[in-house]
Amino acid sequence: MSSSRIRALLGAPDIEQAKREAVLYLNANFPSYDHLQGLDAKFCESEVSEAELASNLASSSSTVDALIVKAKSSAHSYVEIAQNLSLLRHSLSDELVDLTDGLSSSMSSEPGSSTLLEDIETLHRNLDDLQGVKGYAQVIQRALELSESSIQQIRALSTSAPITTSSVTQFQSLQVFVSNVADACSSVEDGAGKQELHLVEFLRRVLERTWVDIKKSISTPLLDAAEQLKWPMTVDYANASTDQRTAFERAFLRLLQLQKVSEIILSSSGSRSEKDGIYPLEILVQPVALRFKYHFEGTRKTNRPDKPEWYFTHILNVAHDQRTFLEHVVQLLLNSADRQTINAWREFTRLLLPILTNKLRRTVPSLLPHPSLLAHTIYQALQFDAALREEGFELDGTLGDTLPKRDGAAAEAWPGVCDIILGKKEWFDAWMDGEKQFADDQYHDIINAPDAWQIADDEPDDVVVGHDLKTTNSARRLKALIEQITDRYSPLPSFLHRTRFLLSMQIPLLEQYSSRLTSSLDAYETLSSALVRAVPGALGVSLGMKEDHSSSVNIEHGRFTSGVEGVQRLCKALLSARFIETAMKVWGEDLFFLELWTEIKQRPALRAFAQANSVLHPSTNQADDESHDTIFETLISRYEEVSRRSEDVIVQQVCAEIELSLKPHLSTTTSPNPGSSPRTDDDFTLSQTLLAPIALLSTHLNYMLTTLPPPILTTLYRRVASRLAEHLLQRQILYRGSITAVESRAIRAEHILWVETCRATLFQAFGGSRSRVEAPWSRLTEAGTLVDVDGEVREKITTVTFGGIDEDEWEDVMIQVVGSSELTREEVGRILRRRE
């Protein structure tokens, strides 16, 4: 059947044609009305025919669909076969071309191509490489087989059999095999020269891991026995059953036997690490490490970065609680196994330390952005080290004293757990930067506090030993800050670290405070100078009103630098400087600073580091080790200079005010008044102009009495009284005209009044000693006595003074007659001439 016929048959029916054929059929079979009687029969026939046709149509349609599907499938398969044949033809063509090119000469081939012979050579090289890989795999296989047999050999031993070198023959075979492979590979070279193959490193790791597994298989009975004894809780060995103790001791001794074997067969292996020790004690540390990990390395609340003291205390408690068991039970087991040189408790404690060191190595990097937490962790580490040393821990008597020492040192003391942090420069610098920032902030808070320069009324809790010395709040707080810094770094084991703290924190703070006191004295002297006082409105400020009711500003500078308020400012600087000076003298004699100073002068590295600082440079250059200087010697000198300067300014200020107040009185009493009538001998009274300077002196002395300690008060009083006495002596007696009898009596009375004023104020402060009060006035009182002397006494004094006797005899006569001989012979003669 043609395709056009198939398409025609599959096409849709023509409705119009069907209608035309139906009309023709009706017209032909029913030409009239009479013929319509056979229409029903025809209709029934047509329905039967239609049903048959529908059935035929359905079967034909299904047959047609099946044929179509089969035809399509056959067509697709024929297309694929054709395509494959086409590809096969092309591939055969390409292979033919390749074979043709491979058989051609390399000289005639294109660049980069290879001949068949070259390809065969390449395959041979690849085959050699595969043979080498096969050899590597065989070596590894042999090592793993020996490793497994070594472990099986030790596991096959009965619990009662002793462990000797014959018990680890398979392991020895593994050792020999690894050694042979290492020797065979030692001559291997590459482009960079002789280098060790990774295969050798892998085999050595297999050897080490095998021994660890052997040790683990032997340690299982010990862990089980220790668990029966409630380990790692405090062991009550005396109340344990005989079977439990026997099992523990047998397992303990078997591990010691294994360690003895290891010392024989592993003598040539690598050096031990800090985790290596006595085998049984290593095993006993494992449950402790598991508990530590559970509490302090997980997500439990006990693992807090701000509570490092918790895990330090945990390890310290474990070492303390197990000490009795270790010293009375484990030590005997060690002694029985010829391990008398090992201290059981120290060795166990040493094996506990890696738990903490690993914890610190993981924790500290996260603490670097938080200086307070880092400082707290270091402080707790230092406390832990100190507590462990107090317990008696050291490396002597442990396997740790044979570990490689830092910088090749033969032997050294235990550096402590803190060395994990302090030994790393970046971590130590981060801690020190945080401490320095904290100290600087504290210092600025102290200086800028509202009551920084107030003199404290209450007695401090930390009074300097042997000195009843008041001071300002800033000086007291600075002293507490310096001592706090000392407490924080004094436990450091390294003198280099201590020196860095001293030079970077304490020395700068003391220098800043000294500079602050010096600048305050500079400001005081500048404001109180004669030039500034001569400039109207140079200092203090006050508000006033002008005549036109407008506001004005008046400068009142006197209240800042005059009177008690001015002296009070100077006393604050003096007390602050003297307090810090005294504190530094006490610190310098402290054992901690004496040791540090000795180390700085003796160690070249520390001395060079300290000489970069101007405060320590002069002292460290002294080669005399017997010098009695201290580490704060230069700073003490600076504060002494501030103290002396403060005293000088106080004396100058007090005397200048009293002398200024004395001017009206001296002008009235020493200048002749022609209009005044002469007074009789009994007609004299003290001038009212003397009351102001007397009251001013009394006010200053009262303030200094309540403020200054006795030593400083005595020094200042002597200087002030001596200067005033000299001033009165010159102005009232030596450098004036003639003195009448009445004036001489007034002068003497005035001198007595000066002395009595001082005595009334200071008598109790000087312990009731009149001589201490009167001593600075002795020249003035002697001059007043000479002015007022009359009669035979005056003639005797005149005779010996102007006569020809020598000085010693003259002094003896003056002491007998007057009671003292403080004035020179020339001054006495001048005084005698002044009297009319």
Side-chain angles (χ1 to χ4, degrees), residues 695-722:
L696 187 57
L697 174 62
S698 177
T699 302
H700 282 303
L701 291 180
N702 274 305
Y703 173 75
M704 288 190 288
L705 174 64
T706 57
T707 304
L708 301 177
I712 301 178
L713 174 64
T714 301
T715 301
L716 291 178
Y717 167 70
R718 287 177 179 174
R719 294 183 62 184
V720 170
S722 299

Side-chain angles (χ1 to χ4, degrees), residues 492-510:
L492 294 178
S494 171
F495 284 100
L496 176 61
H497 294 160
R498 297 182 187 181
T499 304
R500 289 189 61 184
F501 263 88
L502 173 71
L503 298 181
S504 301
M505 296 178 61
Q506 292 179 309
I507 296 297
L509 292 180
L510 294 171

Side-chain angles (χ1 to χ4, degrees), residues 394-396 400-401 403-415 419:
E394 57 184 15
L395 293 180
D396 186 23
D401 59 353
L403 291 175
K405 303 300 187 298
R406 185 185 303 172
D407 300 331
E412 62 180 354
W414 175 54
D419 189 63

Side-chain angles (χ1 to χ4, degrees), residues 112 128 145 267 416 556 693 698:
D128 293 337
E145 289 175 352
S267 57
E556 299 176 358
S698 177

